Amino acid sequence: MTALVNPGLADELARSDGFDADACMNCGVCSAICPMGVDVEVRRLFRYVLLGMEDKVRAETERVFSCLLCRMCEENCPAGVHIAENVRTLRHHIVRTGFGLGEG
Amino acid sequence: MTQATETRRPVIRDAVPGRRDVREVVRDEQVMRRRILEVLAGGPMTVPEIAAAVERPTHEVMFWVMGLRKYGWVAEIKEVDDDGYYRYQVVEREGS
Amino acid sequence: MKGTTKYDALVVGSGIGGMESALKLGDMGYKVLVVEKDASVGGKMILLSKVFPTLDCASCISTPKMAATIHHPNIDVLTYAEVDGIRANGDGTYRARITQRPKFIDEAACTGCRQCEMACNVAVPDEFNADLVSRRAAYIAFPQAVPKKAVIDRAGISPCTGACPAGIKAHGYVARVRSGEYEQAFDLVLEATPLVGSLGRACYAPCESECTRGELEGPLPIRRLKRFIADAHYGRGRDGDPEAVAIEQNGKKVAVVGSGPAGLTAALQLARKGYGVTILEAAEQAGGMLRLGIPAYRLPNEVIDHDISNVTALGVEIRTGVRVDDPAGLKDDGFDAVLVATGTHKAVRLRVPGEELDGVRSALTFLADVKLGKDVGLSGKKVLVVGGGNVAIDAARSARRLGAASVDQVSLECCEEMPAHDFEVEEARAEGITLHDGWGIDHFEGDGRLQAAEIKVCTCVFDPDGRFHPEYDETQRDIIACDVVIVAAGMRADTETFGLETNGDHTLVADPGTLQTAVPHIFAAGDVVTGPTMITTAVGQGRRAAFMIDRYLQGQVLDPGLFDEPLPVVDKDTVLARQQVYDRREPLESNAVMRAAPTDFEETEGPMTEDEAFLGAARCLDCGVCSECHACVDVCPADAIKLDDRPVAIEAEVGTVVLATGFNLFPADAKPQYGYGRFKNVITGMQMDRLLAPTRPYNAVLRPSDGKVPDNIAYIMCTGSRDETVDNPLCSKICCMYSVKQNQLIMGALPLADVTVYYIDVRSVGKGYDEFYQQARDMGCNFVKGRVSGITETEEGNLTLRYEDIENGGALAEAEHDLVVLAVGVQPSRGVAELFAGNGDALALDDHYYVGEVDEDLDPGRTNLPGVFVAGAAAGAKDIPDSILHAGAAVAQAAAHLERARVADEAKAKVPS
Amino acid sequence: MAEDATREDQAFHPRILVFSTNNISDPGIDLAGSSHLHYSPNVMVISLPCTSGIKPSWVLYAMQRGFDGVFIAADGEECAYLPDCAERTAGIMTSAQALLEEHGLEPQRVRMAAVCSVCAEPFTNYMHEYSKSLAGLGPSRKATA
Amino acid sequence: MSGRRIGVYVCQCGGNIGDYVDVDKVVEEIKGDDDVVIARSAMFTCSDATQQEIVQDAQEQGLDALVVASCSPKLHTVTFRDVAKRAGMNPFQYTQVNVREQCSWTHTDDKTGATEKATRLVRAGINRTRLTEPLEPIVVETTPKSLVVGGGIAGLRAALGLAELGLTVFLVEKEARLGGHVAGYGPMFPNDRKGSDLVATLEEKVRANPAITVFTNAELMAKSGSFGNNQATIAIHDGDKLETIQVDVGSIVVATGFDDYEPAAGEFGYGLDGVVTLPEFKKMVDEAPGLLQYKGRPVKTVAYIYCVGSRQDESLEGAHTYCSRYCCTSAVHTALEAQKLAGDLRQYHLYRDMRTYGKYELLWNASRESGSLYLRVPDDEPPAVEKLSSGGLKVTTRDLLTGEEEIAIPADLVVLVTGMVPRDNAELVSVLKLPVGNDGFYNEIHPKLRPVETIVDGVLICGACQAPKTSSEAVAAGLAAVTQSGAMLKRGYAELDPMVATVYADLCTWCGKCRAACPYDAIEQVELDGRQVAQVVKTACKGCGGCVPVCPEDATDLLGYTDAQIKSMIDGMMEVSCS
C-alpha cells in the first residue's frame, strides 16, 4: 500500500499546537531510551505526522497516551527535538479532533 | 567553620568498587610485580588465573601484566587457549 | 638556544599539518622554528595503526617525514616546549615567547637505549598508548619517537622530599622500597647522610607532615620505611660501604669538631670526595646528641654504631675524648679546613631558689649518663622533671624506666602548647608519668638535700612579641614532694673558648648560605650555628658545610645558590586533582608498645614487616611523578641524566606564524550512557587503533577487562559528534573512516570475530573511501542504522546495547557484545587563542572554537591576524590528506606574506632617506 | 660448556642475507633490535633504497659466498619510489629463483615478504621460520661444491 | 690495496653494544684489513669528544674515508656525514654500520655470535667504503616560472598564489573565459558567497598581476625537460588561427577540473519534463525571479534523488562506484536557497547516506528545519520516477526510516543530485604522461606523502581533476600545489641526492629496458661515439635503483649501492674466520 505524502497534517499540527519535529535526524535514540520499552516509538510516530500518514497516527493513539512524558528521550535527543511537547501536542490534537475516540 | 574545612577537600572520596582511577591501578604495578612473578613462577597463566591467584580484579591485573610485558618481565605464549585467553610466562629480563 | 633568535616562520605543533608546513617552508629556503609540546614530533598520526583507505602503515608514512623535519637544514625543532605567547610587532611580524621544558636528559649524550626507562620506579598511565598500559616517569615517548631520546617526567619536587631539611630524597626511597629495592633505597639515603637507622627512628619526620596522602586517610609511614631499609641493610650485616674504601684521596685534610648529626654527615660527604677527615669528639663516645640525648628506647646504641660505621668505613678517623678549645689552631695539626659542629651541650639554668640543692640536676647530663650506662641511682626515688619539651619527656620516661617510685613533670605550657610532640606527651602519660601542665617552679625546698618543689600556676608563657616571658598567678600554689629534680629548661652552645664570633645565645656567627665563619678556613654547622633544632636540620647543615668546604678547598666561589637548587615543590591540590576517585587505603597503625610501667630500655616501636613496608610504600601518590630515586642515574651508560635541568626561556622574532595545533579527541566519559571509564570493555577508537597498531600495548586485540580475545565487537558511531546533548552539532568527519579501517583490520586479525557498526550515516567521502566502505561490508562487517541509546554491563563484562533497528522496520533491539568501541569525534584543541592574548586584535575563533578562517573560499588557512595562518585540523575536523592539503594552502599564503614583507623591505631600503 | 659449544658447532645454523629498504623495512628490523627480540646472529642485513633495485645475481652470489638463503624485506604498498614496487620485487624474486635453479640450488633459498617500519615481531618470526626451513634444506654450498 | 685510507670506529655505546659484543675483539680482527689506517673502539662515538678525535685522526693520518659501527643509520648518518665533512672527507665516503639495533640488541643471548656478526658487518662496511666515490649533491638551477593548466577556481587561485611567491606564471585555459564551473554558480555553501563573485575577484587580481600571463582558448601541446626545468608548448586558438609558443617553466600545475555527471536517458526519469540535474536546478534557483518556476509554472514541490552517477553498483558497465563528496551538501544548500525564495516550497530528499561532513552538518540541520523532509531509500531499490497524466511527476520509494512503508511523492520538479565525473582529457594525459586511476581521475604519487605530486617530475595536480572536491577544497589543493612549486623553485636552485643511477656507456647496447623501467623519465637515449646508449638524467633520477636489475648487460648501477659494493659487502660478511 503506497502512502501519498501529505504535508497538511504536520502543517495543521504546527499551526494549531506548535508541533515541531523537523530537527529529527532519525537516529532512534528516543525509541531506544524509552523506559516504557517497545510501547512508544516517538521517532516513527513523528515521522507519520511529517509524512502526513493520518491513519498510521490514528493507529498509534494508544501509544501516544501511554507515554509517561518523563522526557528521557528529550534529554537524550541529539537534535534537541522537544519530544514531550510534541507528544502532548499530539494528544491534544487527538482529543480535539476526536481521533481514535469511540473506536476502542 | 567545619563546613569550610570539608569543602576544601572535595577530591577525597571513597572509591567505588571496581572503579579505581587508572593512575592508582598503574601505580600498583611496581608493588604487584613481585606477587605476579611469584605466582607465575609456578608456570604460565592467563590473566583471569593470575587475578584469582593474587586476589585482585582481572582488569587491574590486565594493567599490571601488560606493564610487565612492556618492560620485559613476562611474555605471552603464542597460542590462545580454547576460551580465548593468552597465557603469560616469566622471561629472563635483560640487565637484571 | 638562548636569547632572541630570528626565524622566518614559527610553526606551532608538529603533527602532520605542522611537519608538512615546516618542511615546505624549509624547502623554500625559509628558516623555520617548530615548537612541539610533546617529547617527539609526529602528532597523533604516528600513533595510528594504519591509515585509510590504502591501509598504509601510519608509521611508515610518518617516520620519514619526522626524520626529514628534524634533520632539515632550515628547520629548528624544539620538542617538549611550549609557546607561552605571541605578540604582534605591528608590522606583520611577531615575537614569540617559548619555554623549553626541562627534559632532565642531556640530549646530546642520550643514545636512546631505554635503560633509564627499564630501571625507573614510577609507573604512570601511558598517554601514547591511550592509557591502556603504563609507562615510566623516565621514558621515550614511543618506539618511533623522533628525536629518539628519553625525557623524565617531573611535575616538581614531591612535598615529602621538599620538606626534608636534610635533603633526603624521601619520595625516592619510598619508590625504591615499593619496587623491593631495599639496598638501593638505603644507598639513596646514604647519599645524604650516614644516619639512616637513627633517622628511621628518631626523626620527627617533617616529610610525613607534608605528605599529600595526609590530605586523604593519613600520610605514608615515611620515617618507618627508612627504619625498615636500615634494618634490612644492617640486619644483613652489611655495615659500611666496602667499595667506598677505594675512594681516591685528594691529599687534603679536614677536621670535624663534633660527631653529632652535622659532623658525621659532613665527614661522610667530605670523605667521599677524597678528603682525609678526622672527627674530634669531646665525649667518650661518638654520636653527639644521638648518643647522649636520645634514650635507647627510642634509639638503641647499636643503631648509632651502625650509622657511624657508614662514616668510618670511608676511612674517617674518630677521636673521642678530645675536646677542642681552639678550632683555628687545628691548622697547625695539618688540617686545611675545620668544621665546628659541636652542638648545644650546655644546659640552661632554671634560675629559681634551691636550684643548687643536692638532687637537682640537668636533663642533659642525666640522659647522657643513662645512655652511657652509668648508675644514676633513681630506684625508689620520687622524681620531678621540669620542662615541656622533648628532652623533658625523654628524661621523664627514662626516669620511669630506672625504677623511680613516681615521676611528675611540670610544664609551663598547658598540654596543647607544649613544645614536645603530642604523641610523646601521650606516650609519657601512658607510661604513668603525672603531668602538671600550666605550672611553673617557684622554688625548691630542702635542707642540703632536695625534698620538694613548690609550684605555681603559669598564666602566660610568652609576651605579645613571642618572647619567653612567663607570668604567674602567685595565689595558686602547690607542693610536690620529690627526691630528684631533673631540669630540662633548654640547652645552648658551649663556644666561649673558640675565639670565634658568637651571637647573644652563644651560637657561632657563620654565613647562613656558606656556613663559613669569619675565619676563612673554619666553617660551622648544626646546632652550634642554629641553636637546638631537629636532627634533620643539622644533617642538612652538615651537607651544606661539606659542599662549601669542598668548594673552598678547591678554590671555587662559595655560592649558596649552587647547593641543592631544587625544582619548586609540586602543589598538593594539583596532585590530588589528577584522580577523580581515591581508593581508601588506611594508613599503617603505629606498633609502638606502651607499657604502664616500663622497666627496661627496649625500643617501644617494633620493626616493620616487609609486607607492611610494601603496603606502606604503595600508598605513595608519586606527587612529583619522578621520585628522584636515581635509578636512572645508576644505570645510564652515557651519564646523560641531568636532574638539575631547568626551564629555558626563549624568544623568537618571526615573520609569520603557522598554527598547526591539531585537535583533541572527544572525552568519551562525557557520554555517561556509554559507560566509558566504568565498563572496562568500552574503549575509544584511539584505543582500538593502539590495540591494532604494530607497536600495540597488548600484542593482540584483547578485552581490557580480562585479556580475552573478543569475538563480537560493536562500534558506536558519532560518539560526541552530531549531538546537541554534548554541545557539538558538527560531524567529526574522520570517525566513520577510521572505524571502517579498524573493521577491516579486525576482520584480518580476528577472522572469527563479528563486527557490527551502529551508525546514522556512513560518511565515506574522499578518494577511494566509499569503495573502502563497501569492501568492509563485503568482508562481512555488519552495519546497523541506529544510534545506541545506552549500554549496560553483564556479569561477564559483556555489554548490552539498546538501539532502534531503524532500517529493519524500526524494532527496538538489544544486542550483546564483548567489546564496544566508541567512535569518538574531535574537538578543537584548547588554548590557541590565548597565545595571542594581550594583542590589540585577538585571534578569531569560529562558532565552534576552531581557529577561524576569514576567507575559507579563496584563502583557506588565513586567520584574521595578518601573517598568522592555520594548518590542518586546528581549523576543523580533517583527515590526513585534507590536513596536508590545508597545510599546503596555509604555507602558500605564509610564504606570500614573507615575500610581500621582503619586497616592502627592499623598497624601503631603496628609498633614499 | 665446551661440549655444548662443540655440539652447537656441529648443528647447522643457516646464514641468511636480508635485503631491506632504508625507509621502511630497515626501521622495522631496527625496531626488532630496540625491542630486544632475538633471532640468529647468522642473519645479516644490507639496506637499499628500494627492493626493486636488487639484482638476481646478488642472490646467487650470496649463495656462492656461503649464505644459505636470501630474504627480501620488501616495502609492499608503502614504497615511496615506485607504485608497482611489489610486482617488480616479485619479478626479481622469480628471476632469482630461476637463476638459483640453473645453478642447482633450491628456489626456496630466496624468499620475500612485506616488512613495514614497525614490523619488529613479524620480521623476527620470519627469521625463525626461515632459519628452520633452510635448516631443512641444508647448506647451500653442497650443490655448488 | 686500493690506496684508500680508511678510519674505522667501533662504538661501545656504553654497555649497549659493549656488553654483548666484544668490541675490542672486533677492532683487533679488522685492524689489519687492507686500507684500514686506524681502527679504534670508543665508549660513545657520537660524543663530542670522540667526534673531535675522529677529526684529529683524519687530519693526522690523512684519512679519506670513514666507517662508524654504532647504532642505526637512522640516528646518526647525518651526524657522521657532518663529522666526515669537518674532517675534510667527502661525506659520501662514510659508511654507518649498524651493530646496535641489528646486532648487539638482537643477540643479547649470544655474545660469541654477536661479536662474530659485528666483525662481519664492520668488514662489509669497510669493503663498501673502499669502493665509495666522492659525491657532491646535484645542484640544479631551477626555472622560477610555473604553468597552470586550467583556469577554474583552483587554477586561478594557484596562479595568483604562484605569483605571490615571486614566480612568473603562465595560465592556460581551454575555454574563452576563465572561471570554470564556479563562474556559473550563484551562492555556494557554506558561506553563501556567489561563485561568480569569487571568480571575478580572482580574475581581476590575476589579470592585474604583471607576473601572470593568461592564455585563453589555449592548450598545452607538448612538454619536455626534467627537475625544475621544463619546456612547454602552448597552442593558442584565435578564431581559425593557431599560434604556438614555447615557455620554460619549473613546474606545471594541472587544475583541469571535472565534468558534471550526465544521466542516461530514462535514468531516474531523466528526459521527462520536470526531471533536471542538480546543476540545472541550482541555476534555476540562482536565477529565479523571486518565485521558483519551471518553464513558467510555479514549483511547489521538489523531490531530490541523491547519488545519481555516484556510488553506482560496481557490476554496471563503466560504473562510478565512488562517492562524489560534494553533492549531498550542495543539494542541501541548494534546497536551503530555494526555500528562501517566495512561495511555500515542499522539498523531499531521497538519500542513501547523508554526507554533510564536518561543519556542513549544520546546513543539513538547517535544511530540515526549513521544510525539507528526508527519506532514506534502500541501496538496492532505487526510487521510481513517473510522469502523471495530470502533468506532474510522481516519485515512489520505500522509506527505510518509516518501516516498510512505500511512499509516493507528487512533485513538480525532480532534481537528480548528480555527481562529478572525470574530464575527458586524453590529450593532456598523453602530453604529460599523467597517471589516471581506476575512477578516471588523475592519480597523485601518494595520497599522504605527496598528495599534489605526480609520478611526472614537476607536474602537479590539484582540485577536482584529482578527485571530487568542494570549491574551497579545490582552492586549498591549488594552494598546496603552489607550495610544492615554491618548495622546488623558490630558491632558484635545488640540491638533489647524488646517490642516483649511472650507466656504463661502454657496456650499454641500448635495448631500452632501463628507460621502460623508469617511471620518472630519468633515462634517455643518446648517441655516444656513434653508438646509441642510455644516459641517466641525474636531475630526474630518484635513486630507487629500479633500472639496475633490468639491464641485461649489467651496464647500470646505483651510486652508493653499486654491484661491486653489494658484492664486496657480501664478501666482507663471509670472509671472516673468527677464531
Side-chain angles (χ1 to χ4, degrees), chain A residues 1-5 7 11 22-26 43 47-48 50-51 53 56, chain E residues 346 348 364 368-369 373-375 396 399 401-403 405-410:
Chain A
M1 181 58 200
T2 307
L4 202 63
V5 293
D11 286 355
D22 292 338
C24 173
M25 64 165 80
N26 286 289
R43 183 193 65 79
R47 196 130 181 105
Y48 291 145
L50 293 172
L51 288 165
M53 299 160 83
K56 290 281 179 186
Chain E
R346 305 277 173 192
Y348 297 91
W364 187 45
R368 293 200 310 278
E369 302 209 34
L373 189 60
Y374 287 80
L375 295 86
T396 315
D399 174 25
L401 303 177
T402 320
E405 303 298 337
E406 188 169 80
I407 292 175
I409 302 157

Side-chain angles (χ1 to χ4, degrees), chain C residues 523-573:
Chain C
F523 292 73
D527 286 0
V528 74
V529 175
T530 59
T533 56
M534 297 185 295
I535 310 170
T536 42
T537 309
V539 166
Q541 288 249 313
R543 282 184 55 231
R544 180 183 291 270
F547 179 85
M548 295 299 168
I549 290 171
D550 176 47
R551 290 190 71 83
Y552 169 74
L553 292 178
Q554 301 300 323
Q556 292 162 331
V557 184
L558 302 189
D559 177 357
L562 295 173
F563 177 70
D564 267 7
E565 190 201 355
L567 291 178
V569 172
V570 62
D571 173 55
K572 284 197 226 182
D573 288 336

Side-chain angles (χ1 to χ4, degrees), chain E residues 1-78:
Chain E
M1 296 280 264
S2 66
R4 299 300 296 270
R5 299 186 63 79
I6 304 175
V8 184
Y9 298 82
V10 186
C11 187
Q12 307 261 11
C13 194
N16 284 307
I17 296 167
D19 284 354
Y20 312 107
V21 168
D22 186 340
V23 170
D24 290 336
K25 192 169 172 195
V26 174
V27 170
E28 210 46 52
E29 285 281 340
I30 53 100
K31 221 168 198 159
D33 282 15
D34 289 353
D35 309 325
V36 172
V37 178
I38 286 181
R40 296 166 182 249
S41 74
M43 187 48 78
F44 290 104
T45 320
C46 57
S47 70
D48 204 44
T50 311
Q51 288 189 25
Q52 284 175 20
E53 216 172 278
I54 295 174
V55 173
Q56 200 182 335
D57 284 352
Q59 284 158 357
E60 284 172 11
Q61 301 287 331
L63 299 183
D64 61 4
L66 181 63
V67 174
V68 174
S70 59
C71 50
S72 164
K74 279 102 219 156
L75 293 171
H76 279 314
T77 300
V78 177

Side-chain angles (χ1 to χ4, degrees), chain E residues 263-272 275 383 385 416:
Chain E
E267 187 178 353
F268 296 104
Y270 193 60
L272 293 176
V275 179
V385 180
L416 304 185

Side-chain angles (χ1 to χ4, degrees), chain D residues 1-120:
Chain D
M1 186 66 194
E3 266 178 28
D4 274 5
T6 325
R7 212 170 45 235
E8 285 281 300
D9 288 345
Q10 280 166 354
F12 170 56
H13 297 290
R15 296 193 187 282
I16 301 174
L17 176 64
V18 177
F19 284 113
S20 67
T21 66
N22 293 342
N23 285 329
I24 313 281
S25 63
D26 207 54
I29 299 170
D30 278 353
L31 187 63
S34 314
S35 316
H36 291 213
L37 298 174
H38 291 162
Y39 52 81
S40 161
N42 286 342
V43 173
M44 279 171 269
V45 182
I46 293 178
S47 183
L48 305 165
C50 171
T51 47
S52 300
I54 296 171
K55 279 180 148 183
S57 61
W58 296 344
V59 176
L60 178 65
Y61 187 77
M63 301 298 154
Q64 290 168 339
R65 295 306 313 245
F67 277 104
D68 304 300
V70 169
F71 183 90
I72 300 175
D75 287 356
E77 302 304 315
E78 276 92 15
C79 177
Y81 295 106
L82 299 166
D84 58 344
C85 177
E87 292 119 83
R88 286 183 189 229
T89 310
I92 290 166
M93 264 277 292
T94 316
S95 313
Q97 284 176 329
L99 192 63
L100 291 182
E101 281 188 288
E102 263 174 50
H103 287 77
L105 285 156
E106 301 84 343
Q108 297 95 302
R109 291 196 185 274
V110 54
R111 192 182 275 192
M112 151 183 172
V115 173
C116 86
S117 67
V118 271
C119 284

Side-chain angles (χ1 to χ4, degrees), chain E residues 304-568:
Chain E
Y304 298 80
I305 298 174
Y306 284 64
C307 295
V308 175
S310 303
R311 301 180 72 189
Q312 290 174 323
D313 193 318
E314 59 185 347
S315 59
L316 293 172
E317 174 79 18
H320 300 293
T321 56
Y322 56 86
C323 160
S324 286
R325 187 172 173 125
Y326 93 108
C327 12
C328 278
T329 313
S330 180
V332 164
H333 180 258
T334 308
L336 272 168
E337 288 296 307
Q339 210 77 44
K340 286 182 192 163
L341 299 171
D344 193 12
L345 196 60
R346 305 277 173 192
Q347 306 197 74
Y348 297 91
H349 301 251
L350 281 60
Y351 74 100
R352 289 170 65 187
D353 286 283
M354 182 46 59
R355 293 184 167 170
T356 44
Y357 54 89
K359 294 175 185 174
Y360 303 151
E361 178 78 357
L362 299 176
L363 292 171
W364 187 45
N365 292 350
S367 87
R368 293 200 310 278
E369 302 209 34
S370 76
S372 276
L373 189 60
Y374 287 80
L375 295 86
R376 162 82 163 98
V377 303
D379 291 343
D380 51 0
E381 250 183 82
V385 180
E386 57 185 305
K387 187 88 187 166
L388 297 175
S389 50
S390 61
L393 293 158
K394 187 176 84 171
V395 184
T396 315
T397 185
R398 230 156 43 78
D399 174 25
L400 293 178
L401 303 177
T402 320
E404 303 297 314
E405 303 298 337
E406 188 169 80
I407 292 175
I409 302 157
D412 301 322
L413 206 60
V414 171
V415 177
L416 304 185
V417 179
T418 47
M420 290 184 179
V421 295
R423 277 239 156 115
D424 177 17
N425 272 327
E427 281 172 38
L428 188 65
V429 168
S430 78
V431 167
L432 291 177
K433 302 196 186 91
L434 276 172
V436 175
N438 290 336
D439 55 10
F441 291 96
Y442 297 146
N443 261 359
E444 62 288 329
I445 290 189
H446 194 288
K448 291 172 190 77
L449 287 171
R450 299 154 80 182
V452 296
E453 292 168 77
T454 68
I455 202 118
V456 191
D457 231 341
V459 175
L460 312 174
I461 52 174
C462 64
C465 68
Q466 188 175 9
K469 281 186 168 66
T470 70
S471 169
S472 63
E473 288 165 353
V475 166
L479 286 168
V482 169
T483 290
Q484 184 57 35
S485 300
M488 292 189 296
L489 312 176
K490 182 81 180 73
R491 284 188 292 175
Y493 68 95
E495 277 187 17
L496 307 177
D497 196 328
M499 307 255 243
V500 295
T502 186
V503 173
Y504 306 117
D506 48 336
L507 298 178
C508 177
T509 56
W510 182 254
C511 63
K513 282 186 178 157
C514 52
R515 185 166 71 178
C518 180
Y520 299 105
D521 268 347
I523 292 185
E524 54 190 13
Q525 183 182 1
V526 294
E527 194 181 299
L528 190 79
D529 303 333
R531 288 192 312 125
Q532 296 296 308
V533 293
Q535 193 176 63
V536 174
V537 184
K538 280 187 181 179
T539 51
C541 179
K542 300 280 173 245
C544 65
C547 54
V548 173
V550 301
C551 178
E553 306 295 337
D554 283 331
T556 49
D557 246 342
L558 180 61
L559 294 176
Y561 304 89
T562 63
D563 184 73
Q565 280 177 317
I566 300 293
K567 285 179 173 163
S568 79

Side-chain angles (χ1 to χ4, degrees), chain B residues 69 78 94, chain D residues 36 38 121:
Chain B
R69 190 191 161 280
K78 297 278 174 274
E94 274 157 26
Chain D
H36 291 213
H38 291 162
E121 210 166 283

